[in-house]
């Protein structure tokens, strides 16, 4: 099969398409014929060699994909050959024509969800769900500020929050991105590139502030976030690319909380609960992954450059 291989850590160009042997299923495992691959910012951090997770080289990148089960190993009962699935983590990497998974890493893909959309589910939707409901414990009637709503996690968060009965305010840096955020269910959208957008936020909330912030770029925004929280407010740090100075006093009078999260920390039981909720939302139409760009698998280096550029619009997907 063809797969993208990384033989040394470095820039996007270290990813090359190679011919390698098909993985073989063992007990409790499934082999998936990949139809679309989800590209996430974390794939670029891992490839560069600067992330806390450093696979042994050579390796095939990627944790997200969708496809059809080709074969199953002994003891597999939840899925069978021919089933359409989305993948939430893999053993051999998802940037490939086939990928080997544990049975618990594949989930049914409802018929109305395309393979490209299926590749856009795992990291973005599981992260948004984890942040909103398991970390911030958001409830219907609260106001959530999705600070960076136009990308993979942001769009997922907007759809999940809207379906959950929250008032949703999002941000994006482009006109196109803001239009998308509104289309996907936000009540209001602001431009995080204009100087007074947080003033506009306070006007929208009649000076009350927001109950929950899902933060995609904490090293830029965390200090300001603490000043726009309502009493009892929670910020979940989802994305961060540097350091920042904050004033802890801003949390005190508000009884506010800053909550970190990493998807790889989610315990198995809570992970199963997340995918059960996502399955329900995909089936009932409240969750509709948005694909901004589809590229051939061989263009993985191009996708890694694009996913870090400003002007996000849903997900970037690779097609083997
Ligand atoms: P993405 O698709 O590239 O989207 C990035 C988002 O950040 C876009 O909405 C972008 O808006 C926005 N943004 C850019 N500048 C901003 C600013 N100054 N203030 C607020 N938002 C800004 O990436 P993603 O997949 O959604 O992931 C978002 C971040 O979360 C990444 O850093 C990723 O590594 C991280 N993440 C963390 C976890 C975890 O487990 N903690 C899991 C998944 C993702 P415009 O492009 O419209 O300006």
């Amino acid at each position: 099969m063809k797969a993208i291989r990384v033989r040394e850590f470095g820039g996007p160009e270290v990813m090359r398409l190679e011919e390698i042997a098909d993985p073989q299923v063992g007990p409790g495992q499934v082999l998936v014929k990949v139809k679309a691959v989800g590209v996430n910012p974390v794939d670029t951090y891992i490839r560069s060699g600067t992330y806390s997770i450093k696979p042994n080289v050579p390796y095939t990148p990627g944790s997200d994909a969708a496809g059809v089960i080709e074969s199953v190993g002994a003891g597999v009962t939840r899925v069978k050959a021919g089933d359409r699935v989305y993948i939430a983590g893999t053993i051999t990497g998802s940037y490939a024509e086939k990928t080997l998974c544990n049975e618990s890493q594949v989930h049914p893909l409802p018929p109305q969800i395309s393979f490209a959309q299926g590749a856009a589910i795992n990291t973005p939707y599981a992260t948004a769900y984890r942040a909103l409901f398991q970390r911030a414990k958001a409830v219907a009637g609260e106001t959530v500020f999705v600070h960076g709503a136009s990308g993979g996690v942001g769009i997922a968060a907007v759809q999940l929050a809207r379906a959950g009965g929250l008032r949703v305010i999002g941000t994006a840096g482009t006109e196109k991105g803001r239009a998308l955020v509104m289309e996907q269910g936000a009540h209001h959208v602001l431009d995080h590139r204009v100087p007074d957008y947080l003033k506009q936020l306070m006007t929208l909330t009649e000076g009350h502030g927001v109950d929950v912030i899902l933060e995609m770029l904490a090293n830029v925004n965390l200090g300001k976030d603490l000043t726009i929280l309502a009493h009892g407010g929670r910020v979940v740090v989802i994305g961060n690319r540097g350091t920042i100075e904050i004033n802890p006093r801003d949390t005190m009078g508000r009884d506010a909380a800053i909550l970190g999260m990493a998807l790889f920390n989610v315990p198995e039981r809570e992970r199963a609960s997340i995918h059960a909720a996502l399955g329900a939302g995909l089936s009932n139409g409240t969750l509709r992954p948005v694909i901004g760009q589809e590229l051939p698998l061989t263009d993985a280096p191009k996708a890694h450059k694009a996913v870090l550029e400003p002007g996000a619009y849903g997900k970037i997907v690779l097609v083997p």
Side-chain angles (χ1 to χ4, degrees), residues 40-42 45 123-124 127 147-154 171-174 177 192-193 197 215-217 220-221 237-241 261-264 307-312 314-315:
N40 291 291
V42 70
Y45 317 151
T123 299
T127 299
H147 212 166
S150 48
V153 179
T171 73
T174 64
H192 53 234
R193 292 189 192 165
Y197 75 108
E215 182 51 65
M216 304 305 156
L217 199 56
V220 172
N221 296 323
V237 176
I238 297 176
N240 182 62
R241 292 181 182 162
M261 72 150 284
L263 198 54
F264 59 72
V307 77
L308 294 182
E309 275 163 11
K315 283 295 298 181

Side-chain angles (χ1 to χ4, degrees), residues 126 130 134 261-272 274:
R130 172 78 174 165
Q134 295 184 339
M261 72 150 284
L263 198 54
F264 59 72
N265 284 332
V266 180
E268 198 48 48
R269 228 181 120 93
E270 288 168 71
R271 194 176 291 274
I274 290 172

Side-chain angles (χ1 to χ4, degrees), residues 72-153:
V72 303
V76 170
T77 54
R78 279 177 56 239
V79 288
K80 57 180 186 323
D83 285 359
R84 299 171 88 245
V85 291
Y86 74 88
I87 289 165
T90 101
I91 299 165
T92 54
S94 65
Y95 287 32
E97 288 179 327
K98 295 178 188 182
T99 187
L100 187 67
C101 300
N102 289 315
E103 184 182 13
S104 63
Q105 292 174 315
V106 298
H107 302 279
L109 188 67
Q112 75 278 16
I113 306 292
S114 69
F115 289 118
Q117 287 179 303
I121 297 169
N122 176 45
T123 299
Y125 280 84
T127 299
Y129 189 94
R130 172 78 174 165
L132 194 57
F133 298 119
Q134 295 184 339
R135 299 295 285 143
K137 301 196 183 339
V139 294
E142 288 193 312
T143 299
V144 60
F145 184 46
V146 184
H147 212 166
S150 48
V153 179

Side-chain angles (χ1 to χ4, degrees), residues 144-186:
V144 60
F145 184 46
V146 184
H147 212 166
S150 48
V153 179
I155 292 297
V158 167
Q159 293 175 357
L160 282 162
R162 185 64 196 251
L166 284 106
R167 184 177 181 218
V168 184
I169 306 173
T171 73
T174 64
E175 193 65 52
K176 203 176 154 209
R178 286 190 291 281
L180 177 67
V181 172
M182 287 302 284
E183 267 164 42
Q184 297 309 315

Side-chain angles (χ1 to χ4, degrees), residues 5-318:
R5 301 292 278 169
V6 172
R7 297 196 162 270
E8 53 176 346
F9 297 110
E13 70 287 349
V14 300
M15 291 186 293
R16 297 210 182 89
L17 197 65
E18 292 183 13
E19 187 68 38
I20 59 169
D22 284 10
Q24 299 299 312
V25 281
Q29 297 175 342
V30 303
L31 185 64
V32 179
K33 186 160 177 33
V34 174
K35 302 282 191 178
V37 180
V39 175
N40 291 291
V42 70
D43 304 339
T44 74
Y45 317 151
I46 295 172
R47 185 218 66 232
S48 73
T50 56
Y51 195 59
S52 56
I53 297 171
K54 233 177 165 181
N56 293 326
V57 288
Y59 78 97
T60 296
S63 57
D64 297 4
V68 176
I69 304 260
E70 187 166 295
S71 57
V72 303
V76 170
T77 54
R78 279 177 56 239
V79 288
K80 57 180 186 323
D83 285 359
R84 299 171 88 245
V85 291
Y86 74 88
I87 289 165
T90 101
I91 299 165
T92 54
S94 65
Y95 287 32
E97 288 179 327
K98 295 178 188 182
T99 187
L100 187 67
C101 300
N102 289 315
E103 184 182 13
S104 63
Q105 292 174 315
V106 298
H107 302 279
L109 188 67
Q112 75 278 16
I113 306 292
S114 69
F115 289 118
Q117 287 179 303
I121 297 169
N122 176 45
T123 299
Y125 280 84
T127 299
Y129 189 94
R130 172 78 174 165
L132 194 57
F133 298 119
Q134 295 184 339
R135 299 295 285 143
K137 301 196 183 339
V139 294
E142 288 193 312
T143 299
V144 60
F145 184 46
V146 184
H147 212 166
S150 48
V153 179
I155 292 297
V158 167
Q159 293 175 357
L160 282 162
R162 185 64 196 251
L166 284 106
R167 184 177 181 218
V168 184
I169 306 173
T171 73
T174 64
E175 193 65 52
K176 203 176 154 209
R178 286 190 291 281
L180 177 67
V181 172
M182 287 302 284
E183 267 164 42
Q184 297 309 315
H187 295 89
H188 304 279
V189 69
L190 299 171
D191 179 355
H192 53 234
R193 292 189 192 165
V194 303
D196 71 337
Y197 75 108
L198 295 180
K199 231 186 237 167
Q200 296 172 32
L201 176 87
M202 292 312 283
T203 308
L204 284 173
T205 60
E206 287 158 355
H208 180 74
V210 295
D211 302 300
V212 173
I213 300 177
L214 302 188
E215 182 51 65
M216 304 305 156
L217 199 56
N219 55 300
V220 172
N221 296 323
L222 188 59
K224 297 176 282 178
D225 284 345
L226 300 180
T227 69
I228 55 163
L229 279 177
H231 187 89
R234 294 87 75 200
V235 186
V236 186
V237 176
I238 297 176
N240 182 62
R241 292 181 182 162
T243 58
I244 184 172
E245 187 175 304
I246 62 162
N247 185 349
R249 182 162 294 278
D250 290 327
T251 63
M252 295 164 72
R254 294 177 173 83
D255 275 7
I258 302 169
L259 303 159
M261 72 150 284
L263 198 54
F264 59 72
N265 284 332
V266 180
E268 198 48 48
R269 228 181 120 93
E270 288 168 71
R271 194 176 291 274
S273 168
I274 290 172
H275 288 286
L278 298 183
L282 292 163
S283 295
N284 71 20
T286 51
L287 304 183
R288 308 159 308 274
V290 174
I291 308 306
Q293 216 181 334
E294 279 187 50
L295 295 167
L297 184 58
T298 174
D299 278 348
K302 211 190 240 182
H304 273 210
K305 282 181 204 146
V307 77
L308 294 182
E309 275 163 11
Y313 189 90
K315 283 295 298 181
I316 300 172
V317 161
L318 295 169

